[in-house]
Amino acid sequence: MVSTDSTDIAAADGMAAPLDLLLTSSAIGVAERMLPNTSWSKFALSLARKPRTVASRAATLGRELVRIGEGRSDITPAKGDRRFDDPAWRGNPLLKRTMQAYLAADKTVDQLFADADLDWRDSERIRFALDVITEGLSPSNNPLVNPAGYKALIDTGGRSAVRGLRHFIGDMVSSPRVPSMVEPDAFTVGKTVAVTPGAVVYRTEVLELIQYTPQTDTVWSVPLLMVPPVINKFYILDISPGRSMIEYFLRQGAQVFAISWRNPTAEQRNWGFDTYGRAIVNALDAVEKITQSERTHVQASCSGGILAAMTAEHLTATGEGDRLAGLTLMVTVLDQRRAGVAAAAIDEETANIAIALSARKGYLDGRSLAEVFAWLRPTDLVWRYWVNNYIEGKSPAAFDVLYWNADTTRMAAALHRDMVLMGLHNSLATPGGVSMLGTPVALKELTVESYVVAGMSDHISPWQACYRSAQLLGGDNIRFVLSSSGHIAALVNPPGNPKAGYRTGGVDEPDPAAWFDSAEQHRDSWWPDFMAWLGERGGKKKPAPDSLGGAGMLPMEPAPGTYVMQR
């Protein structure tokens, strides 16, 4: 049974995908971001220059605290704030005053942050630290205050406290040292997730290529190659029956192939951009031979999108661009200019330290990255589970995307270095700023038609940054699609959700906000729109193959293969 609670989805959106360039904190640790730095100095200096404003804020808070003490305050949690859902927070006078005092103080901190009027980089850094501090101080996180803890103690005869302590010890003994979002045995790869029928038809040291069994009598002659992120496992694309993107595409008549990356160890420390670019080209070769097609659609997501875009430009520059029938980039940031906390986290000194640390180990551990993801949205990703797992002593609900997220992988040291330096210098925004397989990358030289997907509430890959990234691409036809969801819900977005919607348009409008106002609005999932776009470029229909593999490449083992099982 898959939970689809909105808070589970929010947690998945906040954590379950690679924050492509927030790789410095992952190598160094979250605590480093909380230490005094120049951003804190600028924050303090800015407020020191506004003594009247600060005094006014303090006086307003003081008056509100008096009203709270007298029971006259009307402060209530914001809509959607579920930390204080328990009726005791409103019915018990002491708990109500505690909650209101916290909310008043938190509001004052937010106001002072806005008053400081920092530049975007310092703003992102301070906002991150303030969120960690203020949300951590919420009385709902205090086991001596939260009424849910006392009710659980009574209901279970004290067993909730024992379970909570056991959960806490289990989580803290190894990375990532944050509350578990899902039980490790909640799902099984190949049995309850990643179950769409198919077979591994090609394998190299770097990847396995999976060909999926057609689910229609006829298929489009032009195949689809899916390139997943490099620091998560590929099966976010094939998460659960009824929610699987791969399953949906097959049922619409697509010939689907997917890359499953090997989980690198220290022995693969030298795998960098060129290693993964060559792997994508090798996979493309195999797809063409198996399907006997001269052209292939490439669809890629997150960090896989960065690699796919660079590889596509390499093919274009070497006269092989016609091999690409279309390029789809999902929640992919190519232009790191003002791209949220990811870009703000990177500076020269920190980047060099992070690179040195991963080089010493030979890889960046995905568990460290998962810890950074969690602290990006502490209320949804840390404290919610702190209360559930430790204070109430419950096990987290089973949610497939969070299970996938916990199934972390490593990133080879060389790729980590390449990604960090590219983000630091925003290399893809400058023609020739970075190379792929010996070819200087100039994205404007691309000739392939592109379909670019972003999530409206995506704080990992902000949609405005994705829009600017789409503007870096060449080609006559670029379709930008903005889904009404976040980072992962923009991908795991099957049709049938009455709350879903999306906007579509070109990328000629310079200002993303102006594009948003003028874009065409649609209901439900963007998946059918993509399949219509793909079908227009899919060639003629032909009978579906009777068997998988071909051209000397025979099925090696059933999907999802071996590499996805590596820990």
Side-chain angles (χ1 to χ4, degrees):
M1 181 72 176
V2 176
S3 166
T4 55
D5 185 272
S6 60
T7 50
D8 285 323
I9 296 172
D13 280 332
M15 184 168 180
L19 184 57
D20 299 314
L21 294 172
L22 189 52
L23 301 175
T24 52
S25 291
S26 308
I28 296 172
V30 174
E32 186 271 341
R33 291 291 168 204
M34 305 301 297
L35 297 177
N37 53 39
T38 56
S39 295
W40 280 105
S41 300
K42 293 176 183 178
F43 181 50
L45 182 60
S46 177
L47 292 179
R49 291 171 176 167
K50 302 176 180 178
R52 292 185 178 180
T53 299
V54 174
S56 174
R57 298 298 187 197
T60 300
L61 175 61
R63 290 192 295 270
E64 188 61 44
L65 290 176
V66 170
R67 285 195 291 269
I68 290 171
E70 295 173 347
R72 297 186 294 109
S73 175
D74 58 0
I75 290 181
T76 58
K79 183 180 180 181
D81 186 348
R82 301 183 61 179
R83 293 175 295 177
F84 306 105
D85 280 354
D86 193 295
W89 288 111
R90 292 166 177 77
N92 183 290
L94 179 60
L95 289 179
K96 182 178 180 180
R97 287 169 169 79
T98 301
M99 175 190 69
Q100 289 180 322
Y102 164 75
L103 293 174
D106 187 46
K107 179 181 179 181
T108 302
V109 170
D110 285 342
Q111 291 171 333
L112 289 171
F113 170 74
D115 293 336
D117 193 24
L118 301 171
D119 68 39
W120 78 271
R121 187 179 297 275
D122 292 319
S123 176
E124 291 286 357
R125 291 172 173 174
I126 294 299
R127 182 73 271 173
F128 171 75
L130 289 179
D131 283 348
V132 171
I133 295 170
T134 59
E135 294 181 30
L137 292 174
S138 171
S140 60
N141 302 327
N142 190 329
L144 300 179
V145 175
N146 193 327
Y150 290 106
K151 292 178 180 178
L153 277 173
I154 295 171
D155 291 343
T156 65
R159 289 190 299 275
S160 63
V162 176
R163 290 197 296 262
L165 181 61
R166 186 169 64 245
H167 290 160
F168 177 80
I169 294 173
D171 288 338
M172 296 301 120
V173 294
S174 62
S175 297
R177 291 178 175 84
V178 292
S180 298
M181 297 185 184
V182 66
E183 294 285 3
D185 58 353
F187 297 90
T188 303
V189 177
K191 293 185 178 179
T192 54
V193 292
V195 298
T196 301
V200 175
V201 293
Y202 175 72
R203 178 184 290 132
T204 70
E205 186 183 14
V206 183
L207 64 81
E208 289 180 334
L209 179 67
I210 299 172
Q211 181 183 11
Y212 285 91
T213 304
Q215 298 190 15
T216 54
D217 294 334
T218 60
V219 295
W220 289 319
S221 59
V222 178
L224 172 67
L225 172 62
M226 305 178 77
V227 182
V230 290
I231 200 160
N232 291 105
K233 294 185 177 178
F234 85 95
Y235 64 88
I236 189 61
L237 306 171
D238 184 29
I239 192 66
S240 294
R243 287 159 43 80
S244 164
M245 184 183 295
I246 289 175
E247 176 189 62
Y248 179 82
F249 291 172
L250 290 167
R251 291 180 177 177
Q252 307 308 307
Q255 293 189 83
V256 180
F257 294 78
I259 288 174
S260 175
W261 299 114
R262 180 177 179 177
N263 193 357
T265 66
E267 294 181 4
Q268 289 82 41
R269 64 175 64 243
N270 294 322
W271 289 5
F273 277 162
D274 285 349
T275 304
Y276 285 88
R278 175 55 59 193
I280 293 173
V281 173
N282 290 340
L284 197 63
D285 292 341
V287 171
E288 291 172 352
K289 291 176 181 176
I290 291 172
T291 62
Q292 298 182 342
S293 173
E294 296 180 352
R295 309 185 74 204
T296 302
H297 291 286
V298 174
Q299 183 197 64
S301 51
C302 309
S303 53
I306 293 174
L307 296 169
M310 295 172 68
T311 305
E313 212 290 300
H314 162 73
L315 292 173
T316 301
T318 55
E320 298 184 75
D322 289 344
R323 295 174 64 183
L324 302 176
L327 175 66
T328 301
L329 302 178
M330 303 184 294
V331 292
T332 298
V333 174
L334 306 174
D335 184 353
Q336 294 298 322
R337 174 171 48 98
R338 298 184 62 134
V341 69
I346 300 178
D347 56 63
E348 193 84 44
E349 181 181 2
T350 305
N352 290 334
I353 294 172
I355 290 169
L357 289 173
S358 66
R360 183 184 308 166
K361 185 181 291 186
Y363 56 83
L364 175 71
D365 196 330
R367 292 174 297 180
S368 300
L369 190 60
E371 185 176 355
V372 174
F373 289 153
W375 289 108
L376 285 174
R377 291 178 64 184
T379 293
D380 289 334
L381 310 182
V382 177
W383 300 117
R384 175 194 168 203
Y385 293 94
W386 171 279
V387 172
N388 181 83
N389 300 3
Y390 307 154
I391 295 179
E392 297 184 66
K394 297 178 181 178
S395 296
F399 186 42
D400 51 9
V401 172
L402 293 180
Y403 176 84
W404 163 82
N405 177 78
D407 193 4
T408 59
T409 65
R410 294 172 288 274
M411 176 181 281
L415 183 61
H416 177 232
R417 175 203 64 213
D418 291 348
M419 284 283 190
V420 168
L421 293 178
M422 184 184 66
L424 178 66
H425 302 296
N426 198 15
S427 303
L428 288 175
T430 303
V434 65
S435 295
M436 170 59 78
L437 297 171
T439 304
V441 175
L443 295 175
K444 270 299 181 185
E445 299 301 317
L446 283 170
T447 57
V448 64
E449 295 181 324
S450 300
Y451 189 102
V452 180
V453 181
M456 191 181 304
S457 56
D458 187 345
H459 75 290
I460 294 177
S461 299
W463 78 263
Q464 296 89 342
C466 293
Y467 182 81
R468 291 196 301 269
S469 298
Q471 291 179 314
L472 294 180
L473 304 174
D476 295 332
N477 187 344
I478 301 174
R479 184 171 179 82
F480 186 77
V481 177
L482 180 59
S483 174
S484 62
S485 43
H487 193 74
I488 293 303
L491 303 183
V492 184
N493 191 7
N497 181 357
K499 296 181 180 180
Y502 62 98
R503 297 171 185 245
T504 60
V507 294
D508 295 330
E509 177 60 58
D511 181 21
W515 178 91
F516 183 88
D517 292 335
S518 63
E520 185 176 353
Q521 298 186 47
H522 311 268
R523 293 183 178 180
D524 212 332
S525 167
W526 59 269
W527 286 7
D529 180 80
F530 173 69
M531 293 311 298
W533 183 89
L534 197 70
E536 292 172 0
R537 297 155 182 83
K540 296 181 179 179
K541 285 291 188 80
K542 66 176 186 179
D546 296 329
S547 60
L548 301 181
M553 289 172 279
L554 300 177
M556 300 177 181
E557 61 182 292
T562 298
Y563 284 176
V564 74
M565 304 297 182
Q566 295 174 340
R567 299 295 177 118

